[in-house]
Amino acid sequence: MVHATPVIVPFRDPRGRDRRMTFRLDESSHIPPYEQLRAQLAVMVAVGHLEPGTRLPTVRDLAQSLGLAPGTAARVYRELEHDGIVEG
């Protein structure tokens, strides 16, 4: 299930502080959920919300939090890594 309302996903910053990411995936959009998620994560990196060294949620945790298939979350991480936005 994809959420039209914001979904908060916890993570830990490089200093070990608990932080939160907020995602909004629109199931009525013509843009696939994986692309919506990839774009939102890329923006978080670009604006500094996700600092270098931040450990992102595991594929399984991210997928479960957002109601996506694990393969969808894995694809997002692979594409972000391929584009040099995150490191695996």
Coordinates of all heavy atoms in Angstrom, one line a residue:
M1 N 0.8 -1.2 0.0 CA 0.0 0.0 0.0 C 0.9 1.2 0.0 O 1.8 1.4 0.7 CB -0.9 0.0 1.2 CG -1.8 1.2 1.4 SD -2.8 1.0 2.8 CE -2.9 2.6 3.4
V2 N 0.6 2.2 -0.8 CA 1.3 3.4 -0.9 C 0.5 4.5 -0.2 O -0.7 4.6 -0.3 CB 1.6 3.8 -2.4 CG1 2.4 5.1 -2.5 CG2 2.3 2.7 -3.1
H3 N 1.2 5.4 0.6 CA 0.5 6.3 1.4 C 0.5 7.7 0.7 O 1.5 8.2 0.3 CB 1.3 6.5 2.7 CG 1.4 5.2 3.5 ND1 0.4 4.8 4.3 CD2 2.3 4.2 3.5 CE1 0.7 3.6 4.8 NE2 1.9 3.3 4.3
A4 N -0.7 8.3 0.7 CA -0.8 9.7 0.2 C -0.5 10.7 1.3 O -0.2 11.8 1.1 CB -2.2 9.9 -0.3
T5 N -0.6 10.2 2.6 CA -0.3 11.1 3.7 C 1.2 10.9 4.1 O 1.8 9.9 3.7 CB -1.2 10.7 4.9 OG1 -1.0 9.3 5.3 CG2 -2.7 11.0 4.6
P6 N 1.7 11.8 4.8 CA 3.2 11.7 5.1 C 3.4 10.5 6.0 O 2.6 10.1 6.9 CB 3.4 13.0 5.9 CG 2.4 13.9 5.6 CD 1.2 13.1 5.2
V7 N 4.6 9.9 5.7 CA 5.0 8.7 6.5 C 6.4 9.1 7.1 O 7.3 9.5 6.3 CB 5.1 7.4 5.6 CG1 5.7 6.3 6.5 CG2 3.8 7.1 5.1
I8 N 6.6 8.9 8.4 CA 7.8 9.3 9.0 C 8.6 8.0 9.2 O 8.1 7.0 9.8 CB 7.6 10.0 10.4 CG1 6.8 11.3 10.1 CG2 8.9 10.2 11.1 CD1 6.4 12.0 11.3
V9 N 9.9 8.0 8.8 CA 10.8 6.9 8.9 C 12.0 7.3 9.7 O 12.7 8.3 9.4 CB 11.3 6.5 7.5 CG1 12.2 5.3 7.6 CG2 10.1 6.1 6.6
P10 N 12.3 6.6 10.8 CA 13.4 7.0 11.7 C 14.7 6.6 11.1 O 14.8 5.6 10.3 CB 13.1 6.2 13.0 CG 12.3 5.1 12.6 CD 11.5 5.5 11.4
F11 N 15.8 7.3 11.4 CA 17.1 7.0 11.0 C 18.1 7.6 12.0 O 17.6 8.4 12.9 CB 17.5 7.4 9.6 CG 17.6 8.9 9.4 CD1 18.9 9.5 9.4 CD2 16.5 9.7 9.3 CE1 19.0 10.8 9.2 CE2 16.7 11.1 9.1 CZ 17.9 11.6 9.0
R12 N 19.4 7.3 12.0 CA 20.4 7.9 12.9 C 21.4 8.7 12.1 O 21.9 8.2 11.1 CB 21.1 6.7 13.6 CG 21.3 7.0 15.0 CD 21.7 5.7 15.7 NE 20.5 5.1 16.4 CZ 20.4 5.1 17.7 NH1 21.4 5.5 18.4 NH2 19.3 4.6 18.2
D13 N 21.7 9.9 12.5 CA 22.6 10.7 11.8 C 24.1 10.2 12.2 O 24.2 9.4 13.0 CB 22.4 12.2 12.1 CG 22.8 12.7 13.5 OD1 23.4 11.9 14.2 OD2 22.4 13.8 13.8
P14 N 25.1 10.8 11.5 CA 26.5 10.3 11.8 C 26.9 10.5 13.2 O 27.9 9.9 13.6 CB 27.3 11.2 10.8 CG 26.4 11.6 9.7 CD 25.0 11.7 10.4
R15 N 26.3 11.4 13.9 CA 26.6 11.6 15.4 C 25.9 10.7 16.3 O 26.0 10.8 17.5 CB 26.4 13.1 15.7 CG 27.3 14.1 15.0 CD 26.9 15.5 15.3 NE 27.0 16.5 14.3 CZ 26.5 16.5 13.1 NH1 25.8 15.6 12.7 NH2 26.8 17.5 12.3
G16 N 25.0 9.8 15.7 CA 24.3 8.9 16.5 C 23.0 9.4 17.1 O 22.3 8.7 17.9
R17 N 22.6 10.6 16.6 CA 21.3 11.1 17.1 C 20.1 10.5 16.3 O 20.3 10.3 15.1 CB 21.3 12.7 16.9 CG 22.3 13.4 17.8 CD 22.2 14.9 17.5 NE 22.5 15.1 16.1 CZ 22.7 16.3 15.6 NH1 22.5 17.4 16.4 NH2 23.0 16.5 14.3
D18 N 19.0 10.3 17.0 CA 17.8 9.8 16.3 C 17.2 11.0 15.5 O 17.1 12.1 16.0 CB 16.8 9.3 17.3 CG 17.3 8.0 17.9 OD1 18.0 7.2 17.3 OD2 16.9 7.7 19.1
R19 N 16.9 10.7 14.2 CA 16.3 11.7 13.3 C 15.1 11.0 12.6 O 14.9 9.9 12.8 CB 17.4 12.2 12.3 CG 18.7 12.7 12.8 CD 18.6 14.2 13.3 NE 18.0 15.1 12.3 CZ 18.6 15.7 11.4 NH1 19.9 15.5 11.2 NH2 18.0 16.5 10.6
R20 N 14.5 11.8 11.8 CA 13.3 11.3 11.1 C 13.3 11.9 9.6 O 13.7 13.0 9.4 CB 12.0 11.8 11.7 CG 11.8 11.3 13.1 CD 10.6 11.8 13.8 NE 10.7 13.3 13.6 CZ 9.8 14.1 14.2 NH1 8.9 13.6 15.0 NH2 9.9 15.4 14.1
M21 N 12.9 11.0 8.7 CA 12.7 11.4 7.3 C 11.2 11.4 7.1 O 10.5 10.4 7.6 CB 13.3 10.5 6.3 CG 14.8 10.5 6.4 SD 15.5 9.4 5.1 CE 15.4 7.8 6.0
T22 N 10.6 12.3 6.4 CA 9.2 12.3 6.0 C 9.1 12.1 4.5 O 9.7 12.8 3.8 CB 8.6 13.6 6.5 OG1 8.8 13.8 7.9 CG2 7.1 13.6 6.2
F23 N 8.3 11.1 4.2 CA 8.0 10.8 2.8 C 6.5 11.0 2.5 O 5.7 10.7 3.4 CB 8.4 9.4 2.4 CG 9.9 9.1 2.6 CD1 10.4 8.5 3.7 CD2 10.7 9.5 1.6 CE1 11.7 8.3 3.8 CE2 12.1 9.3 1.7 CZ 12.6 8.7 2.8
R24 N 6.2 11.4 1.3 CA 4.8 11.4 0.8 C 4.8 10.8 -0.6 O 5.4 11.3 -1.5 CB 4.3 12.9 0.7 CG 2.9 12.9 0.3 CD 2.4 14.3 0.2 NE 2.4 14.9 1.5 CZ 1.2 15.2 2.2 NH1 0.1 14.9 1.7 NH2 1.3 15.7 3.4
L25 N 4.2 9.6 -0.6 CA 4.1 8.9 -1.9 C 2.6 9.0 -2.4 O 1.7 8.6 -1.6 CB 4.5 7.5 -1.8 CG 6.0 7.3 -1.3 CD1 6.3 5.8 -1.1 CD2 7.0 8.0 -2.2
D26 N 2.4 9.5 -3.6 CA 1.1 9.7 -4.1 C 0.7 8.5 -5.0 O 1.2 8.4 -6.1 CB 1.0 11.0 -4.8 CG -0.3 11.4 -5.4 OD1 -1.3 10.6 -5.2 OD2 -0.5 12.5 -5.9
E27 N -0.2 7.7 -4.5 CA -0.6 6.5 -5.3 C -1.4 6.9 -6.6 O -1.5 6.1 -7.5 CB -1.4 5.5 -4.5 CG -2.7 6.0 -4.0 CD -3.4 5.1 -3.1 OE1 -2.7 4.2 -2.5 OE2 -4.6 5.2 -2.8
S28 N -1.9 8.1 -6.6 CA -2.7 8.5 -7.8 C -1.8 9.2 -8.9 O -2.3 9.5 -10.0 CB -3.8 9.5 -7.4 OG -3.3 10.7 -6.9
S29 N -0.5 9.4 -8.6 CA 0.4 10.0 -9.5 C 0.7 9.1 -10.6 O 0.8 7.9 -10.5 CB 1.7 10.4 -8.7 OG 2.6 10.9 -9.7
H30 N 1.0 9.7 -11.8 CA 1.5 8.9 -12.9 C 3.0 8.5 -12.7 O 3.6 7.7 -13.4 CB 1.3 9.6 -14.2 CG 2.2 10.9 -14.4 ND1 1.9 12.0 -13.7 CD2 3.4 11.1 -15.0 CE1 2.9 12.9 -14.0 NE2 3.7 12.4 -14.8
I31 N 3.7 9.1 -11.7 CA 5.1 8.8 -11.4 C 5.1 7.6 -10.5 O 4.5 7.6 -9.5 CB 5.7 10.0 -10.7 CG1 5.7 11.3 -11.6 CG2 7.2 9.7 -10.3 CD1 6.0 12.6 -10.9
P32 N 5.9 6.6 -10.9 CA 6.0 5.4 -10.1 C 6.5 5.6 -8.7 O 7.3 6.5 -8.5 CB 6.9 4.5 -10.9 CG 7.1 5.1 -12.2 CD 6.7 6.5 -12.1
P33 N 6.0 4.8 -7.7 CA 6.4 5.0 -6.3 C 7.9 5.0 -6.1 O 8.5 5.8 -5.4 CB 5.8 3.9 -5.6 CG 4.6 3.5 -6.4 CD 5.0 3.8 -7.8
Y34 N 8.7 4.1 -6.9 CA 10.1 4.1 -6.7 C 10.8 5.4 -7.1 O 11.7 5.9 -6.5 CB 10.8 2.9 -7.4 CG 11.0 3.2 -8.9 CD1 12.2 3.7 -9.3 CD2 10.1 2.9 -9.9 CE1 12.5 4.0 -10.6 CE2 10.3 3.1 -11.2 CZ 11.5 3.7 -11.6 OH 11.7 3.9 -12.9
E35 N 10.2 6.1 -8.2 CA 10.8 7.3 -8.6 C 10.4 8.5 -7.7 O 11.2 9.3 -7.4 CB 10.3 7.7 -10.0 CG 10.8 8.9 -10.6 CD 12.3 9.0 -10.6 OE1 13.0 8.0 -10.8 OE2 12.9 10.1 -10.5
Q36 N 9.2 8.4 -7.1 CA 8.9 9.4 -6.1 C 9.8 9.3 -4.9 O 10.3 10.3 -4.4 CB 7.4 9.2 -5.6 CG 6.4 9.5 -6.7 CD 5.0 9.3 -6.1 OE1 4.6 9.8 -5.1 NE2 4.2 8.5 -6.9
L37 N 10.1 8.1 -4.4 CA 11.0 7.9 -3.3 C 12.4 8.3 -3.6 O 13.1 8.9 -2.8 CB 10.9 6.4 -2.9 CG 11.7 6.0 -1.7 CD1 11.4 6.8 -0.4 CD2 11.5 4.5 -1.4
R38 N 12.9 7.9 -4.8 CA 14.2 8.2 -5.2 C 14.4 9.7 -5.2 O 15.4 10.3 -4.7 CB 14.5 7.6 -6.6 CG 16.0 7.8 -7.0 CD 16.2 7.8 -8.5 NE 15.6 8.9 -9.1 CZ 16.1 10.2 -9.1 NH1 17.1 10.5 -8.4 NH2 15.4 11.1 -9.7
A39 N 13.5 10.4 -5.8 CA 13.6 11.9 -5.9 C 13.6 12.6 -4.5 O 14.3 13.5 -4.3 CB 12.4 12.4 -6.8
Q40 N 12.7 12.1 -3.6 CA 12.6 12.7 -2.3 C 13.9 12.4 -1.5 O 14.4 13.4 -0.8 CB 11.4 12.1 -1.5 CG 10.1 12.6 -2.1 CD 8.9 12.0 -1.4 OE1 8.8 12.0 -0.2 NE2 7.9 11.6 -2.2
L41 N 14.5 11.3 -1.6 CA 15.8 11.0 -1.0 C 16.9 11.9 -1.6 O 17.8 12.4 -0.9 CB 16.2 9.5 -1.0 CG 15.5 8.6 0.0 CD1 15.6 7.2 -0.4 CD2 16.0 8.9 1.4
A42 N 16.9 12.0 -2.9 CA 17.9 12.8 -3.5 C 17.9 14.3 -3.1 O 18.9 14.9 -2.8 CB 17.8 12.7 -5.1
V43 N 16.6 14.8 -2.9 CA 16.5 16.2 -2.4 C 17.0 16.3 -1.0 O 17.6 17.3 -0.6 CB 15.0 16.6 -2.5 CG1 14.7 17.9 -1.8 CG2 14.6 16.8 -4.0
M44 N 16.7 15.3 -0.2 CA 17.1 15.3 1.2 C 18.7 15.4 1.3 O 19.2 16.1 2.2 CB 16.6 14.1 2.0 CG 15.2 14.1 2.3 SD 14.7 12.6 3.1 CE 12.9 12.6 2.9
V45 N 19.3 14.7 0.4 CA 20.8 14.7 0.3 C 21.2 16.1 -0.1 O 22.1 16.8 0.5 CB 21.4 13.6 -0.6 CG1 22.9 13.8 -0.8 CG2 21.1 12.3 0.0
A46 N 20.6 16.6 -1.2 CA 21.0 17.9 -1.8 C 20.9 19.1 -0.8 O 21.7 20.0 -0.9 CB 20.2 18.1 -3.1
V47 N 19.8 19.1 0.0 CA 19.6 20.2 0.9 C 20.3 20.0 2.2 O 20.2 20.9 3.1 CB 18.1 20.5 1.1 CG1 17.4 20.8 -0.2 CG2 17.4 19.4 1.8
G48 N 21.0 18.9 2.4 CA 21.8 18.6 3.6 C 21.0 18.0 4.8 O 21.5 17.8 5.9
H49 N 19.8 17.6 4.5 CA 19.0 16.9 5.6 C 19.7 15.5 5.9 O 19.7 15.1 7.0 CB 17.6 16.7 5.2 CG 16.7 16.0 6.3 ND1 16.5 16.7 7.5 CD2 16.1 14.8 6.3 CE1 15.7 15.8 8.2 NE2 15.5 14.7 7.5
L50 N 20.2 14.9 4.9 CA 21.0 13.6 5.0 C 22.4 14.0 4.8 O 22.9 14.2 3.7 CB 20.5 12.6 4.0 CG 19.1 12.1 4.2 CD1 18.7 11.1 3.1 CD2 18.9 11.5 5.6
E51 N 23.2 13.9 5.9 CA 24.6 14.3 5.8 C 25.5 13.1 5.4 O 25.0 11.9 5.5 CB 25.1 14.7 7.3 CG 24.3 15.8 7.9 CD 24.7 16.0 9.3 OE1 25.9 15.9 9.6 OE2 23.8 16.1 10.2
P52 N 26.7 13.4 4.9 CA 27.6 12.3 4.5 C 27.8 11.4 5.8 O 27.9 11.9 6.9 CB 28.8 13.0 4.1 CG 28.4 14.3 3.6 CD 27.2 14.7 4.5
G53 N 27.8 10.1 5.6 CA 28.0 9.2 6.7 C 26.7 8.7 7.4 O 26.7 7.9 8.2
T54 N 25.5 9.3 7.0 CA 24.3 8.9 7.5 C 23.9 7.5 7.1 O 24.1 7.1 5.9 CB 23.1 9.8 7.1 OG1 23.4 11.1 7.5 CG2 21.8 9.4 7.6
R55 N 23.5 6.7 8.1 CA 23.1 5.3 7.7 C 21.6 5.3 7.5 O 20.8 5.6 8.3 CB 23.4 4.4 8.9 CG 24.9 4.2 9.1 CD 25.2 3.1 10.2 NE 24.6 1.8 9.8 CZ 25.3 0.9 9.2 NH1 26.6 1.1 8.8 NH2 24.7 -0.3 8.9
L56 N 21.3 5.0 6.2 CA 19.9 5.0 5.8 C 19.2 3.7 6.4 O 19.9 2.7 6.7 CB 19.7 5.0 4.3 CG 20.2 6.2 3.6 CD1 20.2 6.0 2.1 CD2 19.4 7.4 4.0
P57 N 17.9 3.7 6.5 CA 17.2 2.5 7.0 C 17.5 1.3 6.0 O 17.8 1.5 4.9 CB 15.7 2.8 6.9 CG 15.7 4.3 6.9 CD 16.9 4.8 6.2
T58 N 17.4 0.1 6.6 CA 17.7 -1.1 5.7 C 16.6 -1.1 4.6 O 15.5 -0.5 4.8 CB 17.6 -2.4 6.5 OG1 16.3 -2.5 7.0 CG2 18.6 -2.4 7.6
V59 N 16.8 -1.8 3.6 CA 15.9 -2.0 2.5 C 14.6 -2.5 3.1 O 13.5 -2.0 2.8 CB 16.4 -2.9 1.4 CG1 15.3 -3.4 0.5 CG2 17.5 -2.3 0.6
R60 N 14.7 -3.5 3.9 CA 13.5 -4.1 4.5 C 12.7 -3.1 5.4 O 11.5 -3.0 5.3 CB 13.9 -5.4 5.3 CG 12.7 -6.1 5.9 CD 13.1 -7.4 6.6 NE 13.5 -8.3 5.6 CZ 14.3 -9.3 5.8 NH1 14.7 -9.6 7.0 NH2 14.7 -10.1 4.8
D61 N 13.4 -2.4 6.2 CA 12.7 -1.4 7.1 C 12.1 -0.3 6.3 O 11.0 0.1 6.6 CB 13.7 -0.8 8.1 CG 14.1 -1.8 9.2 OD1 13.4 -2.8 9.4 OD2 15.2 -1.6 9.9
L62 N 12.8 0.2 5.3 CA 12.2 1.3 4.5 C 11.0 0.8 3.8 O 9.9 1.4 3.8 CB 13.2 1.8 3.5 CG 12.8 3.0 2.7 CD1 12.5 4.2 3.5 CD2 13.8 3.3 1.6
A63 N 11.1 -0.4 3.2 CA 9.9 -0.9 2.4 C 8.7 -1.2 3.4 O 7.6 -0.8 3.0 CB 10.3 -2.3 1.8
Q64 N 9.0 -1.7 4.5 CA 7.9 -2.0 5.5 C 7.3 -0.7 6.0 O 6.0 -0.6 6.0 CB 8.4 -2.8 6.7 CG 7.3 -3.2 7.6 CD 7.9 -4.0 8.8 OE1 9.1 -4.2 9.0 NE2 7.0 -4.7 9.5
S65 N 8.1 0.3 6.3 CA 7.5 1.6 6.7 C 6.6 2.3 5.7 O 5.6 2.9 6.0 CB 8.7 2.6 7.1 OG 9.4 2.1 8.2
L66 N 7.0 2.1 4.4 CA 6.3 2.8 3.3 C 5.2 1.9 2.7 O 4.5 2.3 1.8 CB 7.3 3.3 2.3 CG 8.2 4.4 2.8 CD1 9.2 4.8 1.7 CD2 7.5 5.6 3.3
G67 N 5.2 0.6 3.1 CA 4.2 -0.3 2.5 C 4.6 -0.6 1.0 O 3.7 -0.9 0.2
L68 N 5.9 -0.7 0.8 CA 6.4 -1.0 -0.6 C 7.0 -2.4 -0.6 O 7.4 -2.9 0.5 CB 7.4 0.0 -1.0 CG 7.0 1.4 -1.2 CD1 8.2 2.3 -1.4 CD2 6.0 1.6 -2.3
A69 N 7.2 -3.0 -1.7 CA 7.9 -4.3 -1.8 C 9.4 -4.0 -1.6 O 9.9 -2.9 -2.0 CB 7.7 -4.8 -3.2
P70 N 10.1 -4.9 -0.9 CA 11.5 -4.7 -0.7 C 12.3 -4.5 -2.0 O 13.3 -3.7 -2.0 CB 11.9 -6.0 0.0 CG 10.7 -6.5 0.7 CD 9.6 -6.1 -0.3
G71 N 11.9 -5.1 -3.1 CA 12.6 -4.9 -4.3 C 12.5 -3.4 -4.8 O 13.4 -2.9 -5.4
T72 N 11.4 -2.8 -4.5 CA 11.2 -1.4 -4.8 C 12.2 -0.5 -4.0 O 12.9 0.4 -4.6 CB 9.8 -0.9 -4.5 OG1 8.9 -1.7 -5.3 CG2 9.6 0.6 -4.9
A73 N 12.3 -0.7 -2.7 CA 13.3 0.0 -1.9 C 14.7 -0.3 -2.4 O 15.5 0.6 -2.4 CB 13.1 -0.3 -0.5
A74 N 15.0 -1.5 -2.7 CA 16.3 -1.9 -3.1 C 16.7 -1.2 -4.5 O 17.8 -0.7 -4.6 CB 16.4 -3.4 -3.3
R75 N 15.7 -1.1 -5.3 CA 15.9 -0.4 -6.6 C 16.3 1.1 -6.4 O 17.2 1.6 -7.0 CB 14.7 -0.5 -7.5 CG 14.9 0.2 -8.8 CD 13.7 0.0 -9.7 NE 13.8 0.7 -11.0 CZ 12.9 0.8 -11.9 NH1 11.8 0.1 -11.8 NH2 13.2 1.4 -13.0
V76 N 15.6 1.7 -5.5 CA 15.8 3.1 -5.1 C 17.3 3.3 -4.6 O 18.0 4.1 -5.1 CB 14.8 3.6 -4.1 CG1 15.2 5.0 -3.5 CG2 13.4 3.7 -4.6
Y77 N 17.7 2.4 -3.7 CA 19.0 2.5 -3.2 C 20.1 2.3 -4.3 O 21.1 3.0 -4.3 CB 19.2 1.6 -2.0 CG 18.6 2.0 -0.7 CD1 18.6 1.2 0.4 CD2 18.1 3.3 -0.5 CE1 18.1 1.6 1.6 CE2 17.6 3.7 0.7 CZ 17.6 2.8 1.8 OH 17.1 3.2 3.0
R78 N 19.8 1.3 -5.1 CA 20.8 1.0 -6.2 C 20.9 2.2 -7.2 O 22.0 2.5 -7.5 CB 20.3 -0.2 -7.0 CG 20.7 -1.5 -6.5 CD 20.5 -2.7 -7.5 NE 19.2 -2.7 -8.2 CZ 18.1 -3.2 -7.7 NH1 18.1 -3.9 -6.6 NH2 17.0 -3.2 -8.4
E79 N 19.8 2.8 -7.5 CA 19.8 3.9 -8.4 C 20.5 5.1 -7.8 O 21.3 5.8 -8.5 CB 18.4 4.3 -8.9 CG 17.9 3.3 -9.9 CD 16.5 3.7 -10.5 OE1 16.2 4.9 -10.4 OE2 15.9 2.8 -11.1
L80 N 20.3 5.4 -6.5 CA 20.9 6.5 -5.8 C 22.4 6.2 -5.7 O 23.2 7.2 -5.9 CB 20.3 6.7 -4.5 CG 18.9 7.3 -4.4 CD1 18.3 7.2 -3.0 CD2 18.9 8.7 -5.0
E81 N 22.8 5.0 -5.5 CA 24.2 4.6 -5.4 C 24.9 4.8 -6.8 O 26.0 5.4 -6.9 CB 24.4 3.2 -4.9 CG 25.9 2.9 -4.6 CD 26.0 1.5 -4.0 OE1 25.0 0.8 -3.8 OE2 27.2 1.2 -3.6
H82 N 24.2 4.3 -7.8 CA 24.7 4.4 -9.2 C 24.9 5.9 -9.6 O 25.9 6.2 -10.3 CB 23.8 3.8 -10.2 CG 24.2 3.9 -11.6 ND1 23.8 4.8 -12.4 CD2 25.1 3.1 -12.3 CE1 24.3 4.7 -13.6 NE2 25.1 3.6 -13.6
D83 N 24.0 6.8 -9.1 CA 24.1 8.2 -9.5 C 25.1 9.0 -8.6 O 25.3 10.2 -8.7 CB 22.7 8.9 -9.3 CG 21.8 8.4 -10.4 OD1 22.2 7.8 -11.4 OD2 20.5 8.6 -10.2
G84 N 25.7 8.3 -7.6 CA 26.7 8.9 -6.7 C 26.1 9.7 -5.6 O 26.8 10.5 -5.0
I85 N 24.8 9.5 -5.4 CA 24.1 10.3 -4.3 C 24.3 9.7 -3.0 O 24.4 10.4 -2.0 CB 22.6 10.5 -4.7 CG1 22.5 11.3 -6.0 CG2 21.8 11.2 -3.6 CD1 21.1 11.3 -6.6
V86 N 24.3 8.4 -2.9 CA 24.6 7.7 -1.6 C 25.6 6.6 -1.9 O 25.9 6.3 -3.0 CB 23.3 7.0 -1.0 CG1 22.2 8.0 -0.7 CG2 22.8 5.9 -1.9
E87 N 26.2 6.1 -0.8 CA 27.2 5.1 -0.9 C 26.6 3.8 -0.2 O 26.0 3.9 0.9 CB 28.5 5.4 -0.2 CG 29.3 6.5 -0.9 CD 30.6 6.9 -0.2 OE1 30.9 6.2 0.8 OE2 31.2 7.8 -0.6
G88 N 26.9 2.7 -0.8 CA 26.3 1.4 -0.2 C 27.2 0.9 0.9 O 28.2 1.4 1.2

